Structures are given as C-alpha cells and as structure tokens.
C-alpha cells in the first residue's frame, strides 16, 4: 500500500514509541492497535502479513473511524505482559514481561491526551493479538471511560497461567464497554506440539470470556474459527466485525 498515514514519535520521561496515524476526514473515534508496524501494509509487517486496517475499513464502508498503530520494539514482551513470563514446560527461555504498566501509562497519559487534543475523538477502542491481546485485556482493567471497546485475539495466557488465572479471578471490568474475544482452532507456534498449543489457545479464550463475565462485563462476543491460525490473515475477519461494531457505538 502507498503510505496514507503519518508518523509521530511520542515520548515522556525517556519512554518513546513510534505511532502511525490514519485519520479519515469524518472520523470521530479511533481504534488503537498494538504492533503498529503490522497494522497497515504487508510490506512493512514483521512477517510479511498485516492487518490491512485501512482496507478493512474501506471494504466495510466505515468512514467515522481512525486507526492508530503503536509500534512495538525489542521490549515488546516487557511492554505487553504484566508478569515475567516463561514457557518452562516446553524448555523455552524466559520471554520477558513484568513492565506493562509503563506501556499502559504511555497509552493513557500520553497517547490518549495527544489524540484528544489534536483530533478531538469522542471514543476509542483497543485491539491486540497474541501478547498484544494480553496487553488489551489487562489495560481494560483500568476502565478508562473513553475506551469503550476491546478486541482480544488469540490470547496466550499459558505463558504464565497461574498469574493470569489469579488476575481474572479478581478482575473488575467496565460493564458498559464491549469485548470481542477471538481464537483460531489451529493456532500453533514453536513453544509446544501443534495439537497441544492449539488446545491451549482455545482454553485460554474461554478463560478470558469467563473472567470478563465474572468481572462485570455485559457485552461479550466469542468467535472461534476452526481453521484459524496464529497470524494477521486469520485475524482480519474478526477485525472487520470489531471495526463495524465499534463504528456503530
């Protein structure tokens, strides 16, 4: 895609992130997406597959929604995961985590005020996949009033299962916000045998839904795509549904 967005670098107190901003003329709301380099075009995406967010908006005839992509860095797992995480059951090294509050503060205290001041958006949504789904789920615990929709796709709670089980058991969510939880039935990675890891993703999706419901969420959708794998191509279909739902709020 020919670039149709602008780039800003937002920083405060030594914490800086590159932000990609796509704003249609009639936009009065914005979807904030983690892993911003994977949001717009395949050519820029880390693994050559992107969310193609502007294309999804166009195909759904959505004109009131902006897309904000926040780039990830080599501290991605520290940014997205609130607990130090390791996949010890599968002889995987520690993958990081435990510093997500700093990233969440960036979204709440730097990014949202910047977007408010510059564009005057009335409401926001937050969406992420994999580790970014954990970030979205945990940011939802802050119950920021202007954030009214959360997309939680392919959530690997198994990286620190006990910690996330405890978190969800005590969680309180915004009952007025909406939540779309997605998982594929064929999600694999290098952490475990394919048949095992797929089951774990599905189990975790149901755990997320249960935690949301027990925590007071009222508007929850669960989408399970039997053939869905762990990549942006599979995430585009629920992404479109999420965008459409948010555009109608």
């Amino acid at each position: 895609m020919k670039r149709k967005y602008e780039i800003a670098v937002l920083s405060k107190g030594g914490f800086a992130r590159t932000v990609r901003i796509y704003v249609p003329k009639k936009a009065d709301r914005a979807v904030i997406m983690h892993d911003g380099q994977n949001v717009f075009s395949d050519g820029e995406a880390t693994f050559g597959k992107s969310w193609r967010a502007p294309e999804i908006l166009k195909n759904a005839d959505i004109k009131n929604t902006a897309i904000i992509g926040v780039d990830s860095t080599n501290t991605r797992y520290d940014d997205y995961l609130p607990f130090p995480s390791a996949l010890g059951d599968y002889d995987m090294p520690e993958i990081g985590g435990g510093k997500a509050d700093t990233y969440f503060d960036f979204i709440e205290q730097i990014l949202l005020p910047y977007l408010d001041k510059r564009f005057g958006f009335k409401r926001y949504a937050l969406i992420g996949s994999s580790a970014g789904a954990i970030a979205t789920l945990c940011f939802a615990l802050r119950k920021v009033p202007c954030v009214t929709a959360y997309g939680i796709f392919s959530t690997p709670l198994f990286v620190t299962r006990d910690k996330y089980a405890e978190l969800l058991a005590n969680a309180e969510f915004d009952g007025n916000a909406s939540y779309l939880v997605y998982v594929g039935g064929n999600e694999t990675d290098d952490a475990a045998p394919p048949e095992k890891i797929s089951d774990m993703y599905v189990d975790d999706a149901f755990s997320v839904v249960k935690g949301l419901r027990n925590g007071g969420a009222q508007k929850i959708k669960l989408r399970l795509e039997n053939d869905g794998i762990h990549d942006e191509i599979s995430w585009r279909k629920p992404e479109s549904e999420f965008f459409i739902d948010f555009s109608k709020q």
Side-chain angles (χ1 to χ4, degrees):
M1 130 179 190
K2 187 176 180 180
R3 199 172 95 188
K4 295 181 179 179
Y5 59 84
E6 61 182 88
I7 291 179
V9 177
L10 303 183
S11 65
K12 186 176 181 180
F15 189 95
R17 289 294 178 269
T18 297
V19 179
R20 303 171 191 238
I21 302 171
Y22 170 80
V23 183
K25 291 181 180 179
K26 297 181 180 180
D28 64 356
R29 66 198 62 210
V31 178
I32 298 170
M33 304 180 71
H34 309 296
D35 296 306
Q37 60 267 48
N38 299 335
V39 167
F40 292 95
S41 70
D42 297 351
E44 297 170 329
T46 304
F47 298 107
K49 303 173 185 178
S50 75
W51 292 83
R52 297 186 181 177
E55 179 182 320
I56 298 294
L57 289 179
K58 182 178 180 180
N59 290 343
D61 196 30
I62 297 171
K63 297 181 173 64
N64 66 345
T65 302
I67 301 294
I68 312 299
V70 183
D71 280 18
S72 55
T73 71
N74 59 2
T75 63
R76 179 176 185 267
Y77 293 116
D78 281 339
D79 285 353
Y80 293 174
L81 306 179
F83 306 116
S85 303
L87 293 170
D89 290 346
Y90 302 101
D91 299 320
M92 292 288 289
E94 184 172 327
I95 62 174
K99 302 177 182 178
D101 275 340
T102 301
Y103 176 64
F104 296 169
D105 286 346
F106 169 82
I107 293 174
E108 185 175 2
Q109 300 173 14
I110 301 173
L111 179 59
L112 289 176
Y114 171 83
L115 296 173
D116 284 350
K117 183 176 181 179
R118 180 160 181 202
F119 301 105
F121 296 133
K122 296 179 180 178
R123 63 178 68 217
Y124 296 90
L126 186 65
I127 184 173
S129 60
S130 196
I134 291 179
T136 300
L137 174 67
C138 293
F139 185 86
L141 294 170
R142 295 193 170 204
K143 297 190 284 188
V144 179
C146 64
V147 183
T148 61
Y150 299 90
I152 303 165
F153 293 4
S154 304
T155 318
L157 300 183
F158 55 80
V159 295
T160 320
R161 187 175 300 281
D162 291 347
K163 289 287 188 181
Y164 290 111
E166 181 180 357
L167 181 146
L168 287 173
N170 297 287
E172 294 183 2
F173 294 98
D174 182 354
N176 294 315
S178 61
Y179 306 83
L180 177 59
V181 179
Y182 166 85
V183 66
N186 193 30
E187 304 216 27
T188 62
D189 59 23
D190 296 329
E195 66 279 4
K196 180 65 175 176
I197 203 79
S198 295
D199 289 347
M200 292 163 72
Y201 274 110
V202 173
D203 288 346
D204 285 350
F206 282 96
S207 294
V208 169
V209 170
K210 181 180 178 181
L212 288 168
R213 184 178 296 117
N214 290 343
Q218 303 292 321
K219 305 171 187 176
I220 307 168
K221 287 185 177 181
L222 172 63
R223 294 291 181 259
L224 169 59
E225 184 69 36
N226 286 335
D227 296 328
I229 64 174
H230 197 78
D231 71 3
E232 284 77 8
I233 295 175
S234 292
W235 294 325
R236 288 173 194 161
K237 182 177 179 181
E239 173 194 10
S240 179
E241 179 180 3
F242 182 79
F243 287 176
I244 291 169
D245 287 348
F246 178 59
S247 74
K248 295 177 179 177
Q249 286 188 351

